[in-house]
Amino acid sequence: MGDGASTGGPGYRAFISYSHKDAAVGRWLHRRLEGYRLPRRLAGTEGEHGAVPARLTPIFRDREELPAAGDLSERVRSALAASGSLIVVCSPDAAGSPWVAKEIASFRELHPDRPILAAIVEGEPAECFPAALTAGGGVEPLAADLRPGRDGRRLGLLKLVAALAGVGLDALVQRDAQRRVRRVTYVTALALAAAVAMAVLTIFAFRERREAERQRVQAEGMVEFMLTDLRDRLKGEEGLDVLAAVNEQALRYYESAADIRELRDDSLARRARVLQAIGEDDLKRHDTVGALLVFRQAELTTARQVARNPADPKRLFEHATSLGDIGRVFEVRADWPAAYRYFSAFAAASERLLSAAPSDPDFLMRGASAEIDLGNYYLRGIRDFEKAAQRYDNALSLLREAEVKKPGDIHVLLSEANALSLRADSSYYRCLWGDALDQRRQQYDIVSRLIRRHGSNRDIWFRLAAAERGLGYAILKNGDPTRGRAHISDALRIMARIARRDPRNRDFASLDAKLRKDLSDFDLAQPGSSARPDAPADGGEKCRMGEATAPAPTAAGRS
């Protein structure tokens, strides 16, 4: 679609059709599409519709109401005739709008070969697609689902831009991710000092050749600090913007090299770890598209490292981490076949690690992570609870070996508590109430010990609240609803305290909301009430003792 003034093509890039009850969405979409600038490296290149434009202007948005006679005005018909595409804002209101139906029919009549893009804002396709959109089976593939929990507005907008401009979605997603990082305008004094120090060291490395190696070591020591101590201090939703800026600065250090392939092995390994850190932060924001892009870049780097040094356990460790990270993205997306492929590769790499050094605590923890991931596939993916329990037991065995090597280590203990929580879920779904209670008590004891040593760590308080909740349900199933409710109340008090200090943290807010509902359900489920405090979130599983209904898991992440 070129410029109609110069080529005789369409005068408008697109015509936005919508029910006037969706006028706010129509205005937003019009403003964002016309304001979007295509990346400079793409503008002018050959796309699916000809030369890729720098801007998607003009876009026509109809502001009229349907006349009483039911006919489109001459102005609207002229705009439809001059439009290269039709974007239909789909909702139940749009499905019932004669105005939208006439605009679709008229566009099809005028341009049977031009694309129609559907953008869902409310409802499923069966209830939100106008009949005219699917008539004759000629509708284009669905372009975007703007609803929360689906594409969302950001990714949905990028899909529409890609379709209108005739470019690949990946190029726009990468550009969007880079732009978000550039918008970070504040960095803590510690992060700023680290970035300045790194820049100064890099400049001196080029000026003074004899100082290059010393400065490289110092600069990479700063990167190591960013990846360890600084990340630990800034973890949490409130620190994600700062972490994004720190990660971007660290990545720039490595990408300033003349050729990434010429980086030393340890530098390549740190670059991969920076990419893994960026992906971890994207995943915490629930940005699976961005996380998958950077995790795959990290995996390419670590695979090259293993190819260079196939017998080096450290390189295999880094590659195993990359495989597990990609699997986690697919787990979050509930794409279980893809998750299983990567989790299996992660487990195979971890087995090679343990064969090389069976008593290394870091390798033991990596092996435990692989077992937990496969357990999650069996528990949540294909619901084979016995196989899930076996995997979690394997993980616990490896973690207890690691604890002998690193007694009191916070990461080992948090991983063990997480594995016990999941093991309890596998017992719960099989109605093994006594086993579930025992595992929840062990989980609670571990997190309680950590609280005594790390009382200022909000993540551990969050895990304690989750442990209290799981313990409360296990006690309930073992016949003591009063004590079960008390644990739920304790968990809610914890969440009320930490959620106030970090109101932007979505995991905190989610658990707080679940606990409030739990208490309400407990109170309703008194003698004579038909309500149950353990109503399954997913339909539950039948077993000889009734319905096994574990509380929905909370997002604690990988320790």
Side-chain angles (χ1 to χ4, degrees):
M1 289 181 288
D3 180 4
S6 61
T7 68
Y12 295 104
R13 291 283 169 192
F15 182 111
I16 300 175
S17 177
Y18 58 93
S19 161
H20 285 273
K21 291 184 180 177
D22 298 322
V25 178
R27 286 192 299 272
W28 173 84
L29 190 57
H30 181 261
R31 184 175 66 253
R32 294 300 298 273
L33 287 173
E34 285 208 330
Y36 192 89
R37 291 180 180 272
L38 275 294
R40 276 196 287 267
R41 63 185 177 81
L42 292 179
T45 62
E46 191 67 18
E48 292 181 13
H49 312 311
V52 175
R55 299 283 292 271
L56 297 174
T57 54
I59 304 282
F60 184 87
R61 177 172 67 86
D62 176 26
R63 297 174 176 82
E64 296 183 12
E65 294 290 343
L66 186 65
D71 293 326
L72 299 178
S73 69
E74 184 59 33
R75 171 178 164 275
V76 170
R77 288 189 63 84
S78 296
L80 285 166
S83 295
S85 300
L86 178 67
I87 299 173
V88 181
V89 177
C90 296
S91 69
D93 290 321
S97 169
W99 185 248
V100 172
K102 284 183 177 290
E103 288 176 338
I104 294 171
S106 180
F107 186 83
R108 277 233 173 95
E109 178 186 346
L110 290 164
H111 310 297
D113 60 333
R114 292 185 185 176
I116 299 178
L117 307 175
I120 295 179
V121 297
E122 183 182 351
E124 297 300 323
E127 60 182 336
C128 73
F129 276 12
L133 189 64
T134 55
V139 65
E140 290 284 317
L142 177 64
D145 189 336
L146 305 179
R147 293 175 294 172
R150 304 299 175 90
D151 292 335
R153 286 198 173 188
R154 186 170 61 83
L155 180 57
L157 179 72
L158 293 181
K159 285 187 173 183
L160 291 172
V161 171
L164 293 175
V167 299
L169 177 61
D170 282 353
L172 298 185
V173 170
Q174 289 177 346
R175 183 259 192 175
D176 186 67
Q178 292 166 358
R179 183 174 58 184
R180 285 189 295 122
V181 171
R182 288 195 296 269
R183 284 177 179 170
V184 176
T185 57
Y186 73 93
V187 178
T188 62
L190 189 58
L192 181 59
V196 170
M198 188 186 306
V200 170
L201 290 172
T202 304
I203 292 170
F204 273 104
F206 283 106
R207 287 181 178 176
E208 302 290 339
R209 191 173 185 81
R210 63 185 177 181
E211 291 291 311
E213 181 60 20
R214 180 183 66 81
Q215 294 184 17
R216 184 193 68 80
V217 170
Q218 289 182 346
E220 295 203 352
M222 192 68 71
V223 172
E224 190 67 24
F225 167 71
M226 290 177 172
L227 291 171
T228 53
D229 292 353
L230 183 58
R231 284 188 65 80
D232 286 342
R233 295 181 194 184
L234 295 177
K235 270 185 178 178
E237 191 95 2
E238 76 284 3
L240 285 179
D241 289 340
V242 177
L243 285 174
V246 171
N247 291 336
E248 179 72 7
Q249 187 66 34
L251 191 58
R252 276 200 197 115
Y253 168 72
Y254 290 111
E255 308 236 331
S256 66
D259 189 339
I260 289 175
R261 290 173 295 181
E262 295 177 2
L263 288 173
R264 295 164 52 118
D265 283 349
D266 56 348
S267 299
L268 271 175
R270 283 196 180 89
R271 179 180 180 273
R273 288 176 59 198
V274 170
L275 289 166
Q276 289 162 352
I278 292 171
E280 181 183 319
D281 296 338
D282 282 342
L283 203 55
K284 191 162 186 178
R285 291 191 189 91
H286 309 284
D287 180 3
T288 59
V289 174
L292 188 58
L293 284 171
V294 292
F295 281 152
R296 280 187 164 148
Q297 289 184 57
E299 192 267 339
L300 289 172
T301 301
T302 57
R304 186 181 298 132
Q305 289 281 82
V306 172
R308 283 185 185 179
N309 304 285
D312 187 340
K314 287 174 64 177
R315 303 309 171 216
L316 189 58
F317 178 92
E318 291 149 5
H319 188 53
T321 301
S322 293
L323 293 169
D325 286 339
I326 294 174
R328 270 198 300 154
V329 175
F330 289 116
E331 178 186 2
V332 171
R333 290 181 172 181
D335 184 347
W336 292 110
Y340 180 73
R341 288 198 303 274
Y342 280 96
F343 287 160
S344 297
F346 178 28
S350 299
E351 286 177 11
R352 288 176 59 194
L353 277 174
L354 289 171
S355 296
S359 58
D360 184 295
D362 292 329
F363 295 177
L364 288 165
M365 286 187 66
R366 192 54 70 234
S369 290
E371 292 290 340
I372 288 172
D373 286 341
L374 283 171
N376 291 346
Y377 165 76
Y378 287 116
L379 183 76
R380 298 169 187 157
I382 64 173
R383 304 181 72 77
D384 186 334
F385 304 127
E386 290 190 8
K387 284 188 178 179
Q390 292 168 10
R391 291 293 181 173
Y392 297 141
D393 284 340
N394 293 343
L396 286 166
S397 177
L398 292 169
L399 288 168
R400 285 160 183 160
E401 286 186 56
E403 191 179 358
V404 172
K405 303 295 181 182
K406 298 174 77 172
D409 182 85
I410 183 173
H411 300 295
V412 175
L413 291 173
L414 284 176
S415 293
E416 187 176 346
N418 186 43
L420 283 164
S421 168
L422 294 163
R423 181 64 176 83
D425 284 348
S426 71
S427 296
Y428 210 111
Y429 279 113
R430 291 179 292 156
C431 298
L432 302 175
W433 314 124
D435 289 351
L437 179 57
D438 178 60
Q439 289 138 13
R440 287 294 183 183
R441 280 176 172 156
Q442 292 180 61
Q443 174 199 4
Y444 178 80
D445 288 345
I446 289 172
V447 183
S448 296
R449 292 203 314 269
L450 287 172
I451 283 290
R452 289 193 288 272
R453 289 166 41 201
H454 305 279
S456 62
N457 188 317
R458 267 177 280 177
D459 180 58
I460 298 178
W461 279 106
F462 170 68
R463 290 168 185 262
L464 181 63
E468 291 267 20
R469 182 176 189 245
L471 183 57
Y473 271 91
I475 290 172
L476 165 72
K477 296 303 295 185
N478 280 272
D480 192 343
T482 302
R483 283 183 57 226
R485 187 190 188 284
H487 279 281
I488 301 292
S489 297
D490 289 343
L492 186 59
R493 279 192 288 273
I494 292 170
M495 289 311 303
R497 184 168 66 252
I498 66 174
R500 276 198 306 271
R501 297 178 60 190
D502 190 359
R504 294 175 56 201
N505 191 306
R506 284 175 284 188
D507 289 336
F508 290 3
S510 174
L511 181 55
D512 184 75
K514 288 175 184 175
L515 288 165
R516 293 179 187 280
K517 184 177 184 304
D518 290 341
L519 273 189
S520 174
D521 290 346
F522 266 81
D523 292 338
L524 285 172
Q526 298 303 317
S529 170
S530 61
R532 295 175 58 205
D534 57 334
D538 55 5
E541 291 292 321
K542 297 289 184 180
C543 64
R544 63 185 179 84
M545 298 179 67
E547 288 188 352
T549 53
T554 54
R558 189 183 281 165
S559 300

